[in-house]
Amino acid sequence: MPRLAAASLAGTAVEFYDFFVYGTAAALVLGPLFFPTFSPLAGTLAAFGTFGVGFVARPLGSVLFGHLGDRRGRRPVLVLSLLLTGVSTVAVGCVPAYDTIGVAAPLLLLGLRFLQGLGLGGEWGGAVLLTAEHAPAERRGLWSSFPQVGPAVGFLLANGVVLVLSATLTEAQFTRWGWRVPFWAAGVLAVLGLWLRSALPESPRFLEIGDHARVPLAEVVRDHWRLVLLTAGALAVGYAIFYAVTTWSLAYATERLGVSRIVMLTCIMGAVVVKGALTPVAAMLGDRFGRRPLCLVGCSAAALWMLPMVALLATGAPLPMFLGFLGALIAFVTMFGVIAAYLPELYEPRVRCTGAAVGYNLGGVLGGALTPIAATALAEHSGRVPWGVGAYLTGIALFSLGCFALLPETRPVPVAAARPALD
């Protein structure tokens, strides 16, 4: 289990590094470089639009790789999804800017972002299932949480590289070539991740399945459509919170409040460190008290904290901003620390890779793809405190709370025996 957990964590860290480094670049430099004919606001919205394409691609990736995972095994998903994401991320760093190749530049950016999303859409399901289906039932939440730590590690790597470059390069150097370095570094990380995953064993639960689904997506749509919609709606709040903190707030504070890039990255990264450290703690609480209660508590806390968070952000002061981000990410991790065990337990083994991944990534479309765009537009029409953004995030939290309330508890049903909770 330690070897499996470490390899899953490393792989998700690499893939989410690839995904997050794009979000950071979109918030800081992609608008002027790839949409120079737009106004500053329109350029930022356009850059966040290409960011959102990755989320739209993620459910398609979950269908493609979920089919592979349910038909051929969880292990091939881990290798192919990592390879696709790594290659497309390195390629983003090689795309010439608009002033060199014109409209082809944003079109290439859009296509590569789509490929990033396809790869990440398959990554989560494969990594989580391989760990969950090896883990003992009484500690499944804990072991399954290690892939969930990967996004925090990937985010810290991505923003740490940007932070170092911002501190050592001039603004002109960073804009001209420095922003490309984190994308090129993805190639080295992808090779490392592939090496770690090359010797992983296949899931024993998959090997026990005698009758594999011929078309897993068809079975999921026919038999589990309600469960997919509820899980997607429930997870939307987590995506909305995370990308409001890590992507929208970065652009808002640097552009509207005049806060330095280094201060913002430091505040956000500090909150993400705590979030990553608390993920196994939340998972252990889920093993002790159940998955659903933790999700309901985290979602309720999110609904109560969104307005205070934007008020603290609007101060532009490092400590209040950090506290605002920290409260939001603690609410987030209370939910998402148990999700890696919760979702697989909701689906039967023969369609688990497709069902869990589609529900998870549809939640990303609902909460992650639109949040930076909607928040940027709402903040433009607000005063110094973007109350509209806080109300928007609160609304998503209440919607997700209703979806969580309709989901059943699954602990401590063994994953091999779990049946669809809703037919």
Side-chain angles (χ1 to χ4, degrees), residues 73-75 129-130 132-134 201-208:
R74 320 310 191 196
R75 187 173 172 273
L129 289 190
L130 197 65
E133 291 183 338
H134 274 91
E202 183 53 81
S203 160
R205 302 295 180 262
F206 174 80
L207 297 176
E208 291 170 1

Side-chain angles (χ1 to χ4, degrees), residues 66-276:
H67 183 91
L68 177 65
D70 285 324
R71 293 284 298 166
R72 302 299 179 188
R74 320 310 191 196
R75 187 173 172 273
V77 172
L78 298 183
V79 175
L80 293 176
S81 63
L82 181 57
L83 185 62
L84 175 60
T85 308
V87 170
S88 57
T89 302
V90 173
V92 169
C94 300
V95 176
Y98 185 93
D99 60 4
T100 302
I101 60 173
V103 72
L107 291 177
L108 284 171
L109 203 64
L110 199 68
L112 291 170
R113 181 60 176 173
F114 185 84
L115 293 177
Q116 270 191 323
L118 280 181
L120 194 62
E123 160 64 26
W124 186 86
V128 164
L129 289 190
L130 197 65
T131 308
E133 291 183 338
H134 274 91
E138 67 277 6
R139 288 290 180 268
R140 187 177 304 121
L142 174 61
W143 288 116
S144 300
S145 71
F146 284 91
Q148 291 294 82
V149 178
V153 175
F155 178 85
L156 292 171
L157 284 173
N159 286 271
V161 173
V162 174
L163 184 61
V164 170
L165 291 169
S166 297
T168 56
L169 300 177
T170 66
E171 188 69 26
Q173 289 173 325
F174 183 84
T175 302
R176 188 166 62 251
W177 59 267
W179 69 271
R180 298 180 183 274
V181 173
F183 290 93
W184 297 335
V188 177
L189 294 174
V191 171
L192 175 62
L194 289 170
W195 174 72
L196 287 170
R197 289 182 165 183
S198 61
L200 290 180
E202 183 53 81
S203 160
R205 302 295 180 262
F206 174 80
L207 297 176
E208 291 170 1
I209 299 173
D211 181 23
H212 297 288
R214 293 188 60 187
V215 186
L217 179 63
E219 289 195 23
V220 169
V221 172
R222 183 185 67 237
D223 300 329
H224 312 301
W225 61 270
R226 185 167 179 252
L227 180 58
V228 170
L229 293 179
L230 283 176
T231 52
L235 298 181
V237 62
Y239 285 99
I241 291 172
F242 192 83
Y243 289 101
V245 169
T246 62
T247 302
W248 167 74
S249 68
L250 180 60
Y252 176 79
T254 54
E255 294 173 7
R256 289 283 300 274
L257 304 180
V259 180
S260 80
R261 181 187 304 151
I262 293 174
V263 169
M264 282 304 298
L265 288 173
T266 303
C267 290
I268 294 169
M269 289 172 64
V272 172
V273 167
V274 178
K275 173 252 181 192

